[in-house]
Amino acid sequence: MTFLDKPKGLQQSLDQETLLHQMINQIRRSLDLQEILTTTVSQVRLFLGADRVKVYRFDSDGSGEVIAESIHEQRLPSLLGQRFPADDIPQEAREMFLLAQQRSIVDVANGKIGLSPLQSKEIGKRLETNIHYRQVDPCHIQYLKAMGVQSSLIVPILDCDPQEQSAKPKLWGLLVSHQSEPRKILKRELKVLQQVADQVAIAIAQSNLLTAARAKQEREASINRVTTLLHKLPTIQLQGALEEVITAFNGTGGRLYIEHSQELYTWGDQPTLSYELDNSIIEQHPIWQNWMAESKQGNIWATTDLYKEPHLRVLALAFRSTQIRGLLVIPLHYREKFIGVLSIFRCEFETEILWAGRCEQNRRQLLPQLSFELWREQKKGQSVEWKPEDISLAQALYDHFSMAIQQQQMFKQVQTLNANLELRVQEQTYELEKSLLFTKVLKQVTEHIRRTLDLQTTLQSIVREVRALLNSDRVVIFELKRKSVIVEEINGNWQSVLGINAPADCFPDEYSFLYSLGRVRAINNVLTASLHDCHREFLQSLQVQATLIVPINIGLEVWGLLIVHECEAPRDWQNGEIDLLQQLGDQAAIAIQQAQLYEQTCNAETEARNQAAQLEHTLHELQETQTRLIHTEKMSGLGQLVAGVAHEINNPVNFIYANLCHANDYTRQLLEILRLYQLHYPHPHSEISAAIKAMDFEFLVEDLPKIMTSMQVGSDRIRSIVLSLRSFSRLDEAENKRVDLHEGIDNTLLILQHRLKGNGEFPGIEIIKDYGNIPRVECYAGQMNQVFMNIISNAIDALEMENGSRRDKKNTQYPMPTIHISTRVSGDDSRLLIRISDNGAGMTEEVKKRIFDPFYTTKPVGKGTGLGLAISYQIIVEKHSGIMECISEPGKGTEFWIEIPVTPLSTIDR
């Protein structure tokens, strides 16, 4: 490329002046920077006769973008809107453009670059426009050839802030001219392009000033609109102000939370807390509250990606269902007190960047870019950056919102104080009137008590006066001794509860104790009050929705309860109403005491009845003692009988058992001899053949070993039963000693084996053993075997009775009768737990309460004495210091729970 110093004529000078004149007019006439740049590249291309002229703007990350372009007859491909990576223009070149304002002239054909600095980098003074040539980087030559460029001219465009004289200029961009063929550049043309670049810099400064002025004007207008909405007392428009703020920040949503009243104003897209975060309002979550507690007054927090903030890691889950990504948080304070928080949201968006060729990291160090084919890069999850002017606007709004919220709270407090003052005056007037009326009622009741000793009349008068005074639906007096209502007064068509008994299980003994201490119970709403289900159902059966209860105490005992029922709807009981009812309860106690004094003449009869009851109790105890003695003697005799029978049976059984093996051998030998005769003498005498045929010899030979085997099994069975009878009787182990209870249970099951087997009418009983690893237990073995015998026998009886009732119901499937036996040791190895259960019909609550009573039985006449479980209970509880309980429900079977110490307490004490 050749540089010419001499102009070709007057026409070229006129073209230069025309170009500058048009540029200056365009800048003065238009405030649109893009329009100015478009005109600039078009005029410069015409002036230079270039194939392509473009304006290249640097971005903050160092990359650049072609924002204006003019091409002559498509000689070179368009680069408009395309980006170039930061490595395309090295940092050293940018610094030279900025410090020396140098122009670059590249001659691709000769591989040279001409540099024409405007000022010295060393001394900072403006230089004469001279061009210095040097060899260009081969990589740069390949780069330009790949673009189809043979000649290139580059002029820097600087950006200076006119409002700050001392501010250093910044490298804004480049004005670039490209030729597809080598071209000579005139010195005057270079000078004109520098002047054009200076005019463009002026246009950029003007555009920046205009943009800043408009943004400032818009912010001030937004602040004025928000201020107007916030300071409209007494109707502060917080919702409207929030919407205005979101619009001012170009947000897609936001929220204003007030700490004192816990009010929340929202608009636009909103986060939603999931059930894992235990709250429905994000500002009430502990993580958010801790964050606000640590925030300093006046601090504004902003992020373009809330998912990258560590302290929002948990709360970010609430934003997953939204497009929100940018977040601006303005904590509000008034005199260092946190009063709320204003949050602004910005949604994420996708961006598409058009690159001039595919970008690779560090590609300049690998190979020069050889292709500028358009490459689209997609970026997701982007959010608009919060600019300094946004933070400035947030600071301005901070003061206005803090002041407005504080004013609103103060205004509400004044209104509340005025309303409370009026309400207190009305309440005091009403209380005085009610107190006067209560006093008159108390006087009437007191006079009535003095006039009569009739308890019923006095109590009826009390409930009548209370019902009218409290304007309730029903008033009753409940006598604790009778456990029923003895007096009532009803207003309306509500059902009478006179004589109704309260369920015993619904009112435990601790209730009476609390009432004896003066407890008063006010239930405003039966449905929401903390009550037992039984108690709530009982009140609902009486149509009660609210109730007030005060005790009637005589001395230290509770005689009864004075109760007010509200049946129409729930009711909030007032302190005055409670005080009145307490005083009337005291008056009722006085009336009852007077009636009791009047009835003292009947005390003798009552005492006689008590003595008779005591004698009856003594007789019952004597009967129980006699029953125990009889059963003990009976079991002792039974044990001796079982032991004797076992001994007598043992001798002949041992004889049979000892000889069965010999008989079995002899029989097998004889059968072998017969087989040999048949083998060697296949044709016996006719008389022998007739005898063989008559006796069915083949069947005899086959069945005789089976008979011997059955006899062997039977003898084994008899010996096992004898051993079990001896173990069960335990005559040699009557004292307390360590035994294996599993052996006792197994012996009991063996004795009862005939009852466990099935028949045509009974499918049999399945025994499930769940034995634990238990130690030998120190106990009375014979007595423990009696307990196992009684419980398992009763279980068998229950399953047989249940099977009998099931046979009447045809075509119905029932589970297999089962007895489950389980043994376990406690965690500290001190106690043994034995559980014996069946899947029979179970027991009702009334039967379960009496199963341990002597002579009580549910079996048919002649099948039970009612002593088995009573004696078993005494053996476990009294003899072994254990626990025996029964768990049963109708239709769910029965389970006996036995718990005894592994070592008796007396042994431990020693």
Side-chain angles (χ1 to χ4, degrees), residues 581-725:
L581 206 63
Q582 283 183 302
Q583 296 182 42
L584 290 174
D586 295 339
Q587 294 299 324
I590 294 173
I592 294 168
Q593 283 180 316
Q594 290 180 351
Q596 287 178 345
L597 291 173
Y598 177 73
E599 295 175 357
Q600 281 183 353
T601 54
C602 301
N603 288 342
E605 181 182 358
T606 302
E607 184 177 355
R609 290 177 180 175
N610 291 338
Q611 291 178 354
Q614 183 65 31
L615 290 174
E616 183 179 357
H617 179 69
T618 303
L619 178 61
H620 182 68
E621 289 184 346
L622 289 173
Q623 289 177 343
E624 288 186 352
T625 303
Q626 183 181 12
T627 299
R628 288 196 297 270
L629 291 174
I630 292 172
H631 185 74
T632 301
E633 184 65 25
K634 177 181 176 181
M635 294 307 294
S636 176
L638 179 62
Q640 293 178 358
L641 175 61
V642 168
V645 171
H647 179 72
E648 292 298 328
I649 294 175
N650 191 43
N651 290 332
V653 167
N654 284 340
F655 175 77
I656 296 172
Y657 183 80
N659 289 290
L660 271 175
C661 61
H662 302 298
N664 191 25
D665 292 340
Y666 299 159
T667 301
R668 190 163 47 251
Q669 292 173 4
L670 290 174
L671 290 176
E672 179 63 19
I673 293 298
L674 290 175
R675 190 187 66 79
L676 292 174
Y677 268 104
Q678 286 181 328
L679 179 63
H680 296 288
Y681 299 99
H683 304 289
H685 192 270
S686 58
E687 186 177 354
I688 296 175
S689 298
I692 290 174
K693 185 175 182 181
M695 70 175 62
D696 195 357
F697 182 74
E698 294 297 332
F699 175 76
L700 186 148
V701 170
E702 180 181 356
D703 194 48
L704 184 58
K706 295 181 181 179
I707 292 174
M708 297 303 296
T709 302
S710 299
M711 292 173 64
Q712 183 72 33
V713 172
S715 62
D716 288 340
R717 176 70 174 159
I718 294 172
R719 291 184 77 250
S720 298
I721 293 174
V722 170
L723 291 176
S724 298
L725 288 174

Side-chain angles (χ1 to χ4, degrees), residues 16 91 169 207 217 232 384 399 410 512 527 592-593 777:
Q16 297 170 1
Q91 185 64 30
S207 177
Q217 182 181 4
K232 278 188 177 181
V384 178
D399 295 326
M410 293 179 63
S512 300
L527 293 177
I592 294 168
Q593 283 180 316
V777 181

Side-chain angles (χ1 to χ4, degrees), residues 8-61:
K8 291 183 178 180
L10 181 60
Q11 181 62 38
Q12 208 169 33
S13 177
L14 291 175
D15 291 342
Q16 297 170 1
E17 295 296 331
T18 301
L19 174 61
L20 291 176
H21 180 71
Q22 290 177 348
M23 287 295 304
I24 294 171
N25 287 340
Q26 180 66 27
I27 292 172
R28 293 176 179 176
R29 187 171 59 249
S30 175
L31 294 176
D32 186 356
L33 180 61
Q34 186 61 43
E35 182 180 350
I36 294 173
L37 296 178
T38 302
T39 302
T40 299
V41 296
S42 177
Q43 294 296 329
V44 170
R45 187 189 63 76
L46 292 174
F47 171 72
L48 295 176
D51 294 328
R52 175 169 60 206
V53 175
K54 65 179 182 179
V55 174
Y56 181 92
R57 182 183 62 190
F58 290 104
D59 288 337
S60 58
D61 61 353

Side-chain angles (χ1 to χ4, degrees), residues 784-801:
M784 288 301 298
N785 288 341
Q786 295 175 26
V787 173
F788 300 148
M789 176 67 74
N790 290 333
I791 294 176
I792 297 175
S793 296
N794 284 343
I796 295 172
D797 292 339
L799 293 173
E800 288 177 344
M801 293 174 65

Side-chain angles (χ1 to χ4, degrees), residues 477-496:
I477 291 180
F478 178 84
E479 185 178 355
L480 210 62
K481 183 178 180 181
R482 300 183 188 179
K483 294 185 178 179
S484 64
V485 176
I486 60 173
V487 179
E488 74 172 352
E489 179 70 19
I490 302 176
N491 178 35
N493 296 324
W494 307 107
Q495 72 180 56
S496 173

Side-chain angles (χ1 to χ4, degrees), residues 122-374:
E122 289 78 11
I123 62 177
K125 292 184 178 181
R126 194 171 184 85
L127 302 174
E128 294 296 329
T129 306
N130 295 318
I131 299 176
H132 308 282
Y133 290 95
R134 64 171 174 80
Q135 286 298 120
V136 70
D137 187 354
C139 180
H140 193 183
I141 294 297
Q142 294 184 33
Y143 182 89
L144 292 174
K145 286 182 178 181
M147 295 180 68
V149 176
Q150 293 296 322
S151 176
S152 174
L153 170 62
I154 304 173
V155 178
I157 302 174
L158 304 183
D159 178 21
C160 297
D161 189 351
Q163 294 181 341
E164 297 184 12
Q165 299 296 329
S166 60
K168 295 182 179 180
K170 300 178 182 178
L171 182 61
W172 184 89
L174 302 174
L175 178 61
V176 183
S177 171
H178 284 162
Q179 292 284 353
S180 61
E181 297 177 356
R183 184 189 186 281
K184 299 177 181 180
I185 301 297
L186 299 176
K187 183 176 180 181
R188 182 171 296 179
E189 291 175 337
L190 186 60
K191 180 178 181 182
V192 170
L193 255 65
Q194 181 61 54
Q195 292 174 345
V196 171
D198 293 341
Q199 293 299 322
V200 172
I202 294 172
I204 293 171
Q206 290 180 350
S207 177
N208 291 341
L209 288 174
L210 178 61
T211 302
R214 287 177 176 174
K216 182 178 180 181
Q217 182 181 4
E218 187 176 348
R219 287 198 304 273
E220 291 177 351
S222 298
I223 293 174
N224 290 335
R225 289 192 295 270
V226 171
T227 303
T228 302
L229 293 171
L230 289 177
H231 297 288
K232 278 188 177 181
L233 286 173
T235 56
I236 299 176
Q237 302 295 324
L238 290 176
Q239 181 65 37
L242 174 63
E243 296 177 10
E244 188 66 40
V245 169
I246 296 172
T247 303
F249 281 103
N250 294 322
T252 58
R255 50 204 287 138
L256 172 63
Y257 176 75
I258 302 176
E259 178 73 15
H260 176 71
S261 60
Q262 295 186 346
E263 295 178 81
L264 179 65
Y265 299 88
T266 62
W267 189 77
D269 294 342
Q270 297 296 318
T272 303
L273 284 176
S274 59
Y275 66 91
E276 294 94 346
L277 298 181
D278 303 329
N279 211 314
S280 60
I281 300 179
I282 194 171
E283 287 82 1
Q284 293 179 354
H285 195 276
I287 293 179
W288 185 284
Q289 291 184 343
N290 292 337
W291 179 25
M292 291 298 102
E294 296 173 357
S295 64
K296 296 182 180 180
Q297 187 172 359
N299 279 5
I300 309 297
W301 185 87
T303 180
T304 57
D305 193 346
L306 61 90
Y307 298 105
K308 295 182 180 179
E309 300 298 329
H311 63 284
L312 293 180
R313 185 176 63 257
V314 175
L315 297 179
L317 296 174
F319 295 86
R320 289 293 185 189
S321 59
T322 70
Q323 295 295 318
I324 299 171
R325 187 166 291 268
L327 176 61
L328 177 70
V329 178
I330 309 174
L332 304 176
H333 297 81
Y334 184 80
R335 294 182 179 177
E336 298 184 357
K337 177 185 177 183
F338 176 73
I339 61 174
V341 59
L342 175 63
S343 305
I344 309 297
F345 308 138
R346 283 180 176 172
C347 282
E348 64 181 11
F349 58 86
E350 296 182 5
T351 58
E352 183 180 72
I353 301 177
L354 304 179
W355 290 95
R358 186 175 182 89
C359 297
E360 301 290 347
Q361 290 185 352
N362 300 323
R363 62 172 181 77
R364 182 173 176 80
Q365 283 72 28
L366 300 175
L367 289 173
Q369 186 165 333
L370 301 179
S371 174
F372 291 89
E373 183 180 354
L374 182 64

